[in-house]
Amino acid sequence: MLAIKGSGINSSVAPREHVLVCLSSSPSNEKIIRNAARMAKAFGCKLTALYVQTPDSEQMDPADKERLKRNIRLAEQSGAEIVTTHGDDIALQIAEYARLSGVTKLVVGRSSSRRPHFWSGPTLTERLIDAAVNLDIYIIPDAAASEHYRQKRSPFSRSSRLSLRDLLVMAGILAACTLIGWLFLMLGFADANIITVYILGVLLTSILTKGYICSVIGSVLSVLLFGFFLIEPRLSFRAYAVGYPVTFVIMLAASILTGTLASKLKAHAKLSAQAAFRTQILFDTNRLLQKDQSGADILRTTGSQLSKLLNRTIVAYAVENDSLSKGFLFSQQADTAAGRLLCERERLVAKWVAENKRRAGATTDQFAAAECLYLAIRIGGKVYGVVGIPIEEEPLDPFAYSILLSILGEGALAMENKRNAQEKEEAAVLAKNEQLRANLLRAISHDLRTPLTSISGNADTLLNSFDMLDDATKRQMLTDIYNDGEWLTDLVENLLSITRLGDGTIKPSFSAQLPEDVIAEALKHIDRGGKEHVIRVDCGDELYLVQIDAKLIVQVIVNLVNNAIKYTPPGSEIWITVQKQEETAIVRVTDNGPGIPDPVKPRVFEMFFTGENKVSDSRRSLGLGLTLCRSIISLHGGELTLTDNQPHGCVFSFTLPRSKVDLNE
Amino acid sequence: MNKPLILTVEDDVPVRNLITTTLKTHGYRILLAANGEAAILEASSHNPDIILLDLGLPDMDGVEVIKKIRTWSNVPIIVISARSEDADKIEALDSGADDYLTKPFSVEELLARLRVTQRRLALMGTEAGQQTSVFTNGALKIDYAAGCVYLGGEELHLTPIEYKLLCLLSQNVGKVLTHTFITRNIWGSSWDNDIASLRVFMASLRKKLEKGPGKYQYIQTHIGIGYRMLRVGNDD
């Protein structure tokens, strides 16, 4: 019963509301969308706007298309998620979607709840009530305007699509059928065969022509032709046999059914293909977006997927720090429109979109003269980019438009995720730096006290009891003061380097340097104890430059050499060698001291780690040197590594990037 | 009474005491100034041989002091500054300072710098007036008139740029020349690439010089600042 804490249990206790509103091209739809949006707001829940694409949607007139697009846009502005499904039976589609997505409330208009004619089937609302038992259905009263609107959608509006080609195809097929029928008659076949040929003809007509108006006309005509040419008496509509009127009616019904079924099937196939294409594009987009690393990648993916979807050239701008980047073009074929689409005038429109978070450009009220329609890639109030779609002759159809919005939404989501991840990472780095700094301060304030106590104590004793001390003691005390002073100097140098590195305000200044100059400089700064050691330098004979921050690298070498001095007995040899490589120079600081035991090796780079085997003179160390060295080297794109020297001792090596220089002779 | 007179301009009392004690024990005569105003006054009234100038003064910028003094005097000026302030050092050198010391400095370092400057002064004293066309420094001999360089009696083959560099350094022997100063003199410009080129030419020039007898270090590199030709062969 531990799972009680889980959100899944909670949600079943108080089910989250989910409002669904259906989109249509009806003018009253706007009111319904607004109501649904208000409801979603009141419940503080998710709003989904569903558009069911039917085979009829293809034949919508341009005004309807425009209205539908406006409604989709309104829904989107109201914070709805736009979903498109397709199918013949709107009620079934809505009910299915509602069931699968956990919709609790459905908002519909009243027009769909009244039967237009007494002979019509059950209305959408009635069917919905039957299909979705668990759904709250809200019926919004709408204005009388919708009645008037309904008139326009009479079946005859489709006949405007009846083309001459379709009519010719139909005439040809029917003529052929009649010919075959006559042949059958001559051969003495039964009438049933001839009727079958006509039904086949109607089937062919519906497959080869657009819409089902042709198949309906074909059905009627085939009955007439059959009656006129092939039934005794020929060339008249009269029939001698008693059963023929019944035959005609059955034939008409059969052929009309066959024809409409076939054309519906065709429409469905087309819709499925479109849906598959849409799913594929969305799926691809999703997959590609997940792979993308940077905002630029995401923009590229979004742009190229849109270009693939719409088969047009797409213009995209990234928005960073409230300013518009330069435009990118994504196109399926080599396009020469670049100059036209990226010109300053177009850019201004895109800028307006980024600033106002509203679409603009062609087919909208703002900047209607622009070449492209500009849409913002945004989530909430944050705009991540602007996408421009050239509107040449044909405006976008609602289907493409809804996918377009989905892709833009996906892109915006991906960009937001990326940004959130980045912010989180930055915060983590910041926190880590804070932690480091705090550790550092703690260590420093602790470790500073020791040498300072020694310095002031020794000096105090010298001042107060100078005459009572013998020369050897005085000398020892002075040596201590000097050593502690030197130690403090080293510490300050390292701290200075850390501030150069960690602050972020002071950028390392890279310049081309000769390795031998850098090493010579470093040798000036090593501890005085170094006089007891033998230090050799070998830089090779060749002249080449490395691209480094000289001060920081000097500090690295000083630290490495000082370390070698500190942890090896007097008289040990220390080698500093530089070896030229293809793209880098490898620097090694080698000693022949006792070496570092394997278990300790990984720890030497840790901050505040000091060797356990303190060398006899117990010179203190803050354990900061190697950590700092490692950071400096990684800043130069290399890595500081520790290996064993043969037969004993250790080798610290790192690489520095070489710099190319054109000699000005 | 031939001890050099050194004007020490430093506002920090312990450091001033350190310098004073060190110089006194090594036989220098001393003038003290705690700020820029006093420094300019002392410099104009006592005509010191060398000035040690701290760049961080309470009343005015050390660079301003250099510029003022340079209006009437060529007295060698050694600038003292903290290590993190390369830009200040370069500015000071370009304004006419001769050398610089970085805090924290050791007493030996301070004395060495003073010796270098003194040698330069001595040389200027002997060569003043006589327009010499031949420069000698240890085993190095430059015949400006003939455009030839000899190292230990043998002619040294230098590229035109190397020769130009060598002449520039030798004419300012003992003085630290900044990268900007050198590149402006050689190439007339001071781009990053010029400075990178300069490093390569300087290294090859130095290699050629250091192969000679005695293996003297003639050219000293000051990372991030510039180069200097040293007087060699006498005491250290």
Side-chain angles (χ1 to χ4, degrees):
Chain A
M1 279 287 105
L2 280 171
I4 275 176
K5 278 183 184 169
S7 58
I9 301 289
N10 281 345
S11 67
S12 75
V13 171
R16 259 191 85 80
E17 301 291 345
H18 184 171
V19 176
L20 180 74
V21 62
C22 298
L23 295 174
S24 75
S25 57
S26 142
S28 62
N29 192 229
E30 186 184 326
K31 192 179 168 193
I32 299 167
I33 294 169
R34 287 190 200 283
N35 267 304
R38 230 171 289 142
M39 193 186 284
K41 207 173 167 191
F43 284 116
C45 66
K46 197 173 153 192
L47 175 66
T48 304
L50 181 72
Y51 174 58
V52 182
Q53 201 182 18
T54 60
D56 293 353
S57 323
E58 277 292 295
Q59 287 123 22
M60 241 189 260
D61 70 47
D64 280 357
K65 273 191 184 171
E66 187 47 45
R67 213 163 20 235
L68 175 61
K69 220 153 58 169
R70 213 163 49 221
N71 289 340
I72 292 181
R73 183 161 161 63
L74 173 72
E76 187 206 3
Q77 277 174 337
S78 316
E81 188 189 332
I82 314 290
V83 177
T84 310
T85 66
H86 70 91
D88 215 9
D89 187 345
I90 297 180
L92 189 73
Q93 289 294 327
I94 295 174
E96 271 304 282
Y97 180 82
R99 194 173 60 78
L100 292 174
S101 324
V103 170
T104 54
K105 293 180 191 314
L106 172 69
V107 184
V108 289
R110 176 178 281 169
S111 63
S112 45
S113 68
R114 261 188 314 210
R115 290 185 192 210
H117 312 287
F118 68 90
W119 65 82
S120 304
T123 62
L124 177 62
T125 320
E126 284 163 0
R127 298 216 320 274
L128 271 175
I129 292 167
D130 288 343
V133 189
N134 294 324
L135 213 56
D136 302 354
I137 298 177
Y138 294 81
I139 296 163
I140 310 296
D142 51 7
S146 64
E147 276 307 304
H148 164 70
Y149 166 71
R150 185 174 288 280
Q151 306 294 313
K152 276 167 66 188
R153 297 192 72 183
S154 67
F156 294 108
S157 63
R158 293 188 204 119
S159 63
S160 60
R161 293 247 167 188
L162 203 58
S163 70
L164 187 66
R165 179 194 153 273
D166 288 354
L167 286 174
L168 285 177
V169 168
M170 183 187 72
I173 290 172
L174 289 180
C177 289
T178 311
L179 205 69
I180 295 169
W182 182 75
L183 210 71
F184 281 8
L185 200 68
M186 290 296 102
L187 294 171
F189 287 7
D191 286 350
N193 290 317
I194 299 169
I195 292 171
T196 315
V197 168
Y198 273 110
I199 291 178
L200 181 70
V202 172
L203 195 65
L204 279 175
T205 309
S206 64
I207 289 170
L208 296 176
T209 58
K210 281 195 194 119
Y212 42 87
I213 192 74
C214 272
S215 46
V216 173
I217 296 173
S219 308
V220 176
L221 279 180
S222 61
V223 172
L224 293 180
L225 288 170
F226 178 58
F228 190 71
F229 287 111
L230 305 174
I231 300 294
E232 294 295 337
R234 305 265 180 83
L235 303 180
S236 104
F237 286 115
R238 283 184 299 132
Y240 294 149
V242 187
Y244 273 121
V246 180
T247 313
F248 289 154
V249 169
I250 291 172
M251 181 183 169
L252 183 65
S255 57
I256 285 179
L257 258 178
T258 320
T260 46
L261 271 181
S263 56
K264 270 187 190 173
L265 206 66
K266 212 173 73 174
H268 272 285
K270 197 180 168 197
L271 281 178
S272 313
Q274 271 189 338
F277 176 66
R278 179 187 84 134
T279 315
Q280 188 59 38
I281 290 239
L282 282 178
F283 178 73
D284 282 352
T285 312
N286 205 306
R287 195 171 42 83
L288 289 172
L289 286 177
Q290 267 169 12
K291 260 192 267 169
D292 289 338
Q293 292 303 316
S294 66
D297 287 347
I298 293 173
L299 190 72
R300 197 175 315 120
T301 305
T302 312
S304 55
Q305 288 299 105
L306 285 182
S307 157
K308 207 184 281 176
L309 168 74
L310 303 173
N311 200 17
R312 301 182 196 207
T313 304
I314 297 288
V315 194
Y317 298 90
V319 176
E320 265 162 35
N321 307 325
D322 294 332
S323 67
L324 211 60
S325 74
K326 74 177 179 61
F328 301 96
L329 277 185
F330 302 95
S331 76
Q332 292 301 300
Q333 57 270 51
D335 200 341
T336 47
R340 200 158 46 83
L341 296 180
L342 290 176
C343 71
E344 195 50 37
R345 202 165 53 98
E346 293 289 307
R347 192 187 157 78
L348 279 178
V349 183
K351 200 163 177 230
W352 189 91
V353 170
E355 279 162 6
N356 293 282
K357 299 167 186 152
R358 290 179 53 193
R359 63 178 198 160
T363 73
T364 67
D365 300 339
Q366 259 86 24
F367 306 103
E371 295 267 357
C372 299
L373 165 67
Y374 288 92
L375 298 162
I377 304 176
R378 67 187 178 102
I379 275 200
K382 174 91 183 144
V383 177
Y384 291 96
V386 176
V387 165
I389 301 133
I391 306 291
E392 278 134 16
E393 302 93 54
E394 40 179 333
L396 296 173
D397 65 84
F399 168 73
Y401 191 73
S402 72
I403 307 174
L404 167 74
L405 291 181
S406 308
I407 293 182
L408 287 184
E410 290 266 347
L413 197 67
M415 285 194 194
E416 183 164 83
N417 285 344
K418 213 75 359 164
R419 195 187 59 146
N420 286 346
Q422 201 180 339
E423 274 174 4
K424 214 178 264 177
E425 211 167 281
E426 275 166 14
V429 168
L430 205 66
K432 201 177 154 223
N433 281 350
E434 277 307 308
Q435 183 65 34
L436 271 184
R437 209 162 294 184
N439 280 348
L440 193 66
L441 273 180
R442 196 154 33 85
I444 290 165
S445 46
H446 174 262
D447 284 33
L448 277 179
R449 283 200 191 110
T450 332
L452 285 175
T453 313
S454 150
I455 290 173
S456 57
N458 278 323
D460 187 37
T461 317
L462 282 170
L463 275 175
N464 291 324
S465 357
F466 192 78
D467 297 328
M468 285 135 70
L469 299 169
D470 61 77
D471 279 359
T473 317
K474 277 188 227 165
R475 180 165 293 278
Q476 182 54 50
M477 292 172 95
L478 290 168
T479 312
D480 287 348
I481 293 178
Y482 177 83
N483 283 338
D484 282 322
E486 288 287 289
W487 185 84
L488 284 176
T489 309
D490 276 357
L491 173 64
V492 169
E493 291 304 329
N494 275 333
L495 287 179
L496 273 178
S497 301
I498 287 175
T499 51
R500 273 172 82 88
L501 274 183
D503 219 355
T505 47
I506 311 169
K507 290 243 166 65
S509 56
F510 289 98
S511 59
Q513 299 282 353
L514 279 168
E516 46 209 298
D517 282 352
V518 178
I519 291 171
E521 176 74 19
L523 289 180
K524 285 188 208 159
H525 296 281
I526 61 163
D527 287 353
R528 210 159 62 152
K531 281 176 185 161
E532 293 163 353
H533 291 71
V534 186
I535 300 177
R536 298 181 204 276
V537 179
D538 177 16
C539 297
D541 285 333
E542 224 175 320
L543 280 181
Y544 53 91
L545 296 168
V546 284
Q547 189 68 18
I548 55 169
D549 180 309
K551 275 200 173 158
L552 292 177
I553 295 299
V554 163
Q555 194 62 41
V556 169
I557 297 169
V558 167
N559 282 344
L560 292 178
V561 174
N562 277 352
N563 253 354
I565 291 170
K566 200 181 299 171
Y567 293 107
T568 58
S572 303
E573 285 191 3
I574 298 166
W575 283 84
I576 308 170
T577 57
V578 189
Q579 203 182 334
K580 185 179 155 184
Q581 290 186 321
E582 192 90 343
E583 297 280 314
T584 55
I586 180 155
V587 183
R588 291 192 185 86
V589 177
T590 312
D591 67 60
N592 62 353
I596 296 172
D598 281 339
V600 183
K601 266 184 196 145
R603 297 190 55 207
V604 296
F605 296 108
E606 282 172 23
M607 209 173 237
F608 313 122
F609 177 79
T610 51
E612 283 147 16
N613 52 337
K614 292 251 171 166
V615 184
S616 54
D617 67 352
S618 80
R619 301 194 54 174
R620 51 183 92 75
S621 161
L622 197 59
L624 220 122
L626 286 178
T627 318
L628 175 64
C629 290
R630 175 163 264 194
S631 328
I632 293 175
I633 297 305
S634 68
L635 188 72
H636 287 79
E639 198 191 351
L640 182 62
T641 53
L642 167 61
T643 46
D644 283 323
N645 189 18
Q646 294 305 327
H648 52 85
C650 51
V651 184
F652 284 94
S653 50
F654 57 88
T655 53
L656 296 175
R658 280 181 51 202
S659 121
K660 295 207 163 43
V661 61
D662 307 317
L663 289 187
N664 295 342
E665 289 280 358
Chain B
M1 279 305 288
N2 212 3
K3 290 176 183 173
L5 179 63
I6 315 243
L7 170 60
T8 305
V9 188
E10 168 67 67
D11 59 320
D12 185 62
V13 180
V15 176
R16 199 165 64 209
N17 284 344
L18 171 72
I19 296 173
T20 315
T21 320
T22 312
L23 295 184
K24 268 187 185 153
T25 50
H26 287 83
Y28 292 95
R29 288 180 298 141
I30 300 176
L31 280 173
L32 292 175
N35 55 47
E37 286 294 327
I40 292 164
L41 195 69
E42 292 284 338
S44 59
S45 51
H46 292 93
N47 203 16
D49 296 311
I50 300 172
I51 298 176
L52 286 175
L53 174 68
D54 183 38
L55 280 182
L57 293 174
D59 58 337
M60 59 200 288
D61 191 353
V63 173
E64 287 304 307
V65 179
I66 299 172
K67 282 181 185 159
K68 286 229 166 89
I69 292 175
R70 277 287 172 263
T71 54
W72 80 84
S73 165
N74 267 328
V75 56
I77 299 175
I78 300 175
V79 165
I80 301 173
S81 84
R83 193 181 165 202
S84 55
E85 299 154 2
D86 269 357
D88 294 355
K89 277 181 263 183
I90 291 170
E91 198 189 349
L93 289 169
D94 280 337
S95 312
D98 294 75
D99 200 353
Y100 67 91
L101 261 177
T102 304
K103 278 182 193 173
F105 53 86
S106 69
V107 170
E108 286 134 63
E109 211 178 338
L110 170 65
L111 292 173
R113 297 301 170 92
L114 285 173
R115 278 199 299 276
V116 165
T117 313
Q118 271 175 274
R119 271 211 299 275
R120 196 161 89 88
L121 279 176
L123 193 82
M124 276 157 63
T126 55
E127 283 177 357
Q130 39 175 312
Q131 273 295 0
T132 168
S133 71
V134 177
F135 168 89
T136 49
N137 183 11
L140 176 69
K141 195 171 101 180
I142 308 171
D143 189 335
Y144 296 127
C148 294
V149 181
Y150 302 92
L151 193 63
E154 269 185 58
E155 191 173 348
L156 197 62
H157 295 284
L158 299 178
T159 67
I161 295 263
E162 285 167 353
Y163 179 71
K164 270 194 195 171
L165 279 172
L166 188 61
C167 290
L168 190 67
L169 287 167
S170 64
Q171 280 149 9
N172 293 282
V173 65
K175 197 174 171 207
V176 177
L177 304 179
T178 62
H179 292 137
T180 320
F181 177 84
I182 301 174
T183 50
R184 288 236 171 93
N185 267 276
I186 305 288
W187 288 286
S189 59
S190 182
W191 307 112
D192 280 354
N193 194 45
D194 292 335
I195 295 178
S197 306
L198 173 64
R199 291 204 174 91
V200 176
F201 287 121
M202 215 45 121
S204 68
L205 173 62
R206 210 171 46 193
K207 280 226 162 103
K208 285 181 184 173
L209 291 179
E210 282 162 17
K211 275 185 193 138
K215 301 212 183 284
Y216 295 123
Q217 194 199 0
Y218 292 97
I219 301 171
Q220 207 180 38
T221 307
H222 294 250
I223 288 251
I225 308 235
Y227 296 91
R228 155 158 72 180
M229 178 175 277
L230 293 171
R231 268 282 160 201
V232 297
N234 295 331
D235 46 40
D236 62 4

